[in-house]
Amino acid sequence: MIITPNQARWGTALLGATTLTSPAMAGSISVEVPRLSVAEYHRPYVAIWIAAADGSQTRTLDVWYDAKHRGEPGTKWLSDLRAWWREEGRNMATIPVGLSGPTRAPGKYVIPLPKDLKAGAYVLKVEAARETGGRELVSVPVTIAPKGAKGGAAQGKGELGAVSVTLP
Amino acid sequence: MRKIALGLMATAAVLALPQTASAHRQWLLPTATTLSGDDPWVDVDAAVSNDLFYPDHFPLQLAQVKVTQPDGSEGKLEHGITGRHRSTFDVHLTQEGTWRIGTASSNIMGSFKVDGVEKRVGRRPGPPAGAFGPNGGPAGGAPAGMPPRGEGRPEGQPPAGGFGGPNGGPNGGPAMETVSIDAIPANATDIKLTESISRNDIFVTRGKPTTNLFTPTGKGLEFVPVTHPDDLVAGQPAKFRFLIDGKPAAGLKLEIIPGGKRYRDAEDGFTATTDAQGVATINWKGAGMYWFTTSASDKNPSDKRATDRRMSYTATVEVQAL
């Protein structure tokens, strides 16, 4: 796993990349990029991150963006993911390759929930921004606990479809 | 802007938005539209971009901009500069009344075949070399970044390849020879020529609004406001009339987009359609700057060498708070 400056900052706190108990083992996140019938479609930029419920800590899980946009870095539009940019993006010197990927076509995508989340209350956040389109943020409260762990689901209205967190 | 249908979702929220071919928009944005005092100036930003009014793509070329004084004579554009993403200039409002500042273009584009080889006619002019300043942006060639394309391609932008990605590759195909309309040989076949006429205006008023510049000429698509464009107020519907060759343009769809998308989740554009008298009634969604555009096509080109005519009219207007 690539340790970002952010992750280093978290230390051994709630979101820290430590190897203690792993109640979230095999948890997964599902994100749907909806198919849109529009005259001019571009794949959305999407950020997926998790925050402590009190907002004290955040951790980026995945960013889908156009790293090579016709020869220019597509980082120009990362700040359009405005909530993620405030909480995470602007604190990153670069977007780690291990925490990012190309933009995705419409469809349903599953990414693993980190196994090292400590017990506690979290909010999974998924934000999408599309060139010539709109912007949307979908949040799903998540509880990590040895017993009584709780995932959840939420439905986007425009730029995102179903977002869910499944825990074992 | 467009209709968004969320095919995959059972609980799909359908946002009804106006339709457009390409979202690269050419705009002029005045610092004010209603001015008082003895010596008012208006300062204008001009650019081509997706979102209104954020210059992040291309500057508008100042050579295209014309200033018309309230009496109809040509006015002066001053202190013009062209930056990486926008051009700016000032206009000294030396006359009382309503001024028009904007671009107008007319050209003929199309294709023909000669000896089985297809050739293009009337490629739109690219920006002059060095137009993008010291940052060394592209000049005349296909711009890097986010090139305009398709029908909505603004004036002054060269045709360019499309985006990569799901919409497919370049739209230009293999390079075709481009010739001027006067160079079409006598043995040409499959001649398809479209006359394209467009305007993009702002109106600024020193003192009392005047209507001298709205006298129709009877040619092409014309904006003949019933409600003066410098007398728009939130909560008060505006009536804008459009004529084609002097006759009411009925059924014309206006796409109206408020500025400031960055502070919302969606563009929040909407449409209005002209009635039998060519009048569209617009219900503003609050005070602010709005950009609107409309277009029409027919088979009555003013240049008889063309078979088709495409006309568009675009303007930026300010809606004042009540």
Side-chain angles (χ1 to χ4, degrees):
Chain A
M1 180 173 193
I2 292 167
I3 305 295
T4 67
N6 263 8
Q7 286 167 299
R9 197 186 65 213
W10 300 325
T12 55
L14 249 130
L15 291 171
T18 55
T19 53
L20 299 176
T21 53
S22 307
M25 193 173 290
S28 66
I29 299 160
S30 173
V31 175
E32 182 183 20
V33 176
R35 188 170 300 280
L36 304 175
S37 176
V38 295
E40 180 181 346
Y41 181 80
H42 307 288
R43 296 177 183 188
Y45 274 31
V46 175
I48 302 167
W49 74 109
I50 194 160
D54 65 2
S56 61
Q57 298 167 62
T58 53
R59 174 173 170 182
T60 295
L61 305 179
D62 214 341
V63 182
W64 304 340
Y65 76 108
D66 205 354
K68 284 178 189 163
H69 181 85
R70 297 168 57 86
E72 286 187 346
T75 46
K76 173 178 173 180
W77 298 286
L78 281 174
S79 57
D80 289 352
L81 297 163
R82 61 184 188 235
W84 171 79
W85 185 252
R86 281 194 301 271
E87 294 186 18
E88 280 282 279
R90 67 187 181 189
N91 300 319
M92 294 175 159
T94 56
I95 308 301
V97 173
L99 295 181
S100 62
T103 54
R104 310 290 174 95
K108 200 171 159 181
Y109 299 91
V110 176
I111 66 167
L113 193 68
K115 294 176 180 177
D116 55 9
L117 292 176
K118 288 185 165 185
Y122 297 89
V123 180
L124 175 85
K125 298 183 185 185
V126 181
E127 185 175 24
R130 184 167 51 88
E131 182 189 354
T132 71
R135 172 268 179 194
E136 186 167 28
L137 174 66
V138 173
S139 298
V140 178
V142 177
T143 304
I144 304 292
K147 279 186 182 176
K150 202 161 154 266
Q155 181 71 40
K157 291 188 176 71
E159 300 300 329
L160 288 165
V163 173
S164 63
V165 176
T166 307
L167 296 172
Chain B
M1 179 180 66
R2 60 181 55 86
K3 191 172 173 119
I4 299 177
L6 307 173
L8 292 181
M9 286 192 275
T11 56
V14 175
L15 313 173
L17 295 169
Q19 201 85 24
T20 188
S22 166
H24 282 105
R25 298 167 176 133
Q26 176 184 304
W27 50 266
L28 295 104
L29 183 70
T31 46
T33 58
T34 300
L35 296 106
S36 60
D38 294 335
D39 193 30
W41 289 72
V42 66
D43 315 324
V44 181
D45 284 350
V48 178
S49 69
N50 275 332
D51 296 338
L52 302 163
F53 296 91
Y54 306 119
D56 64 357
H57 181 49
F58 267 24
L60 188 70
Q61 299 307 304
L62 289 179
Q64 300 177 50
V65 179
K66 289 271 181 297
V67 176
T68 309
Q69 306 191 92
D71 65 5
S73 62
E74 187 165 346
K76 241 167 67 185
L77 182 158
E78 298 187 60
H79 311 143
I81 60 160
T82 295
R84 174 64 183 86
H85 292 131
R86 67 176 166 182
S87 294
T88 80
F89 59 92
D90 302 338
V91 177
H92 192 183
L93 303 178
T94 50
Q95 279 185 22
E96 294 268 348
T98 299
W99 295 57
R100 181 178 63 220
I101 302 166
T103 64
S105 76
S106 174
N107 56 46
I108 297 180
M109 304 225 303
S111 62
F112 64 90
K113 282 183 182 172
V114 61
D115 302 327
V117 177
E118 189 172 3
K119 297 191 179 187
R120 277 196 183 139
V121 175
R123 179 177 188 256
R124 290 182 190 179
F132 295 97
N135 283 343
M146 300 160 56
R149 66 195 166 122
E151 275 195 314
R153 188 168 64 230
E155 298 304 323
Q157 304 295 346
F163 285 84
N167 271 0
N171 62 344
M176 260 188 276
E177 189 188 342
T178 301
V179 301
S180 86
I181 189 165
D182 300 318
I184 299 176
N187 61 338
T189 60
D190 301 275
I191 301 174
K192 285 176 246 167
L193 294 174
T194 300
E195 180 181 49
S196 230
I197 305 160
S198 62
R199 284 205 66 90
N200 190 328
D201 291 330
I202 55 173
F203 300 95
V204 298
T205 296
R206 171 180 170 183
K208 200 174 153 68
T210 54
T211 57
N212 186 38
L213 302 184
F214 301 117
T215 306
T217 65
K219 288 178 193 161
L221 174 62
E222 291 184 279
F223 174 51
V224 187
V226 179
T227 312
H228 195 286
D230 287 338
D231 200 11
L232 307 174
V233 179
Q236 299 179 3
K239 290 188 184 299
F240 289 165
R241 190 162 193 237
F242 292 88
L243 306 176
I244 291 177
D245 294 338
K247 297 187 185 68
L252 211 60
K253 196 164 87 173
L254 272 69
E255 180 188 1
I256 304 145
I257 300 172
K261 179 186 170 190
R262 186 180 292 163
Y263 311 116
R264 300 187 294 271
D265 279 348
E267 188 155 76
D268 290 350
F270 56 102
T271 60
T273 305
T274 58
D275 61 16
Q277 281 71 51
V279 176
T281 302
I282 301 166
N283 293 295
W284 310 105
K285 297 181 172 180
M289 289 287 187
Y290 287 75
W291 181 91
F292 73 82
T293 190
T294 189
S295 63
S297 296
D298 63 19
K299 300 213 174 278
N300 303 311
S302 60
D303 188 316
K304 292 304 166 200
R305 292 172 295 186
T307 52
D308 295 89
R309 176 170 68 167
R310 186 173 190 280
M311 301 159 281
S312 76
Y313 186 84
T314 305
T316 299
V317 294
E318 183 175 33
V319 177
Q320 300 183 37
L322 184 63

